[in-house]
Amino acid sequence: LDPHSFPTRRSSDLLNSSRVCQEIINKRGSLTNDRPYLPICQNVMSKNMRSVLMQQSPLYREERRVYHQLLTGSAITKYGISQDLESTQLLAEHMLKPNDWYLNHGRYANSVINLIAFGTRTLAITPLMKGILEVVHVFLRNNPPANAVDMFPELIQLPRFLQFWHRRAEAIGNRTYEVYAAYW
C-alpha cells in the first residue's frame, strides 16, 4: 500500500477542540445522546421501569431533569456531611464484619442514595437489602455481552416460541419487580 494514496486529513476533520465536542454534545445531543435499544434489559428484565436504560422520551427527559436537580454541583455539596457519616459507618463495618464487605458496600450505596432522594439512612443489612443486592447482581450479570439479544436487538423479532431466552429474562424481571415493590 502506498501511504500517499490515502486522502490527507485536515485538522478540521477531527474532534480536536472543546468547541466542536461541546457543539456535538449540547447542540446536537438529540442525535448523539440516546441510549441503544436493549430489548431484554430494558423491556423484559426491567419491565420498562429502569430510567437509566430508557431511550429519549418525554418521561425520560422529566426523570433526567429531576436527577440533575439532585446531582448538580450546588446540591452535591449539601450531601458531603452525609457521605462522611456513611463512609465512617462503612469503615466501622469493614472492621467489625470484614467478610461481609460486599454487603457493607451495598448498604453504603443504598444509604447514600436514600439520603439524597428521601432523607433517610439505611442502618442495617436486612433480608430486603440482600434481595436488592441479589437482583442487581443478577441484572448486571445478564447485560451484554452475556445477553446476545441486546447485542443483536433484531433477534427480538423472532417468533416467541423461538425466543428460548425470553422465559428466563421474564423470571428475572418478575423477581426484580417483587423485590423493589417490597422495598417501597
Side-chain angles (χ1 to χ4, degrees), residues 46-157:
S46 298
K47 298 181 182 267
N48 287 320
M49 290 191 250
R50 261 185 226 256
S51 58
V52 295
L53 297 175
M54 284 183 172
Q55 292 179 296
Q56 299 251 351
S57 70
L59 177 63
Y60 169 76
R61 282 188 215 104
E62 178 60 22
E63 287 191 7
R64 187 172 167 188
R65 184 188 64 76
V66 171
Y67 292 150
H68 280 284
Q69 287 177 346
L70 289 172
L71 302 173
T72 60
S74 58
I76 291 290
T77 56
K78 291 188 268 183
Y79 310 131
I81 295 169
S82 303
Q83 288 178 321
D84 284 345
L85 174 68
E86 292 302 330
S87 295
T88 304
Q89 168 116 15
L90 177 63
L91 291 173
E93 288 170 344
H94 279 317
M95 289 180 64
L96 298 172
K97 301 177 272 183
N99 292 336
D100 290 342
W101 66 270
Y102 180 77
L103 295 173
N104 298 337
H105 281 272
R107 190 220 50 85
Y108 167 81
N110 187 276
S111 193
V112 168
I113 291 167
N114 276 344
L115 270 169
I116 291 171
F118 307 112
T120 60
R121 292 183 65 206
T122 304
L123 298 174
I125 300 164
T126 63
L128 188 54
M129 166 73 68
K130 288 180 181 179
I132 288 172
L133 294 174
E134 172 228 328
V135 296
V136 167
H137 183 72
V138 169
F139 180 81
L140 292 174
R141 250 194 356 238
N142 287 283
N143 274 298
N147 175 355
V149 180
D150 284 342
M151 291 176 65
F152 303 100
E154 298 81 17
L155 291 173
I156 203 72
Q157 296 174 9

Side-chain angles (χ1 to χ4, degrees), residues 1 7 11 16 22 26 28 37 40 42 51 60 69 71 85-86 89-90 99-101 127 143 156 160 166-168 178:
L1 291 172
S11 64
N16 63 353
Q22 286 299 319
N26 295 335
R28 300 170 195 252
Y37 175 55
I40 296 298
Q42 177 184 337
S51 58
Y60 169 76
Q69 287 177 346
L71 302 173
L85 174 68
E86 292 302 330
Q89 168 116 15
L90 177 63
N99 292 336
D100 290 342
W101 66 270
N143 274 298
I156 203 72
R160 185 71 180 264
H166 202 279
R167 186 176 299 135
R168 182 172 179 276
E178 288 170 11

Side-chain angles (χ1 to χ4, degrees), residues 10-24:
R10 298 182 313 265
S11 64
S12 61
D13 293 340
L14 302 175
L15 294 176
N16 63 353
S17 75
S18 61
R19 182 193 58 79
V20 173
C21 292
Q22 286 299 319
E23 181 177 332
I24 289 172

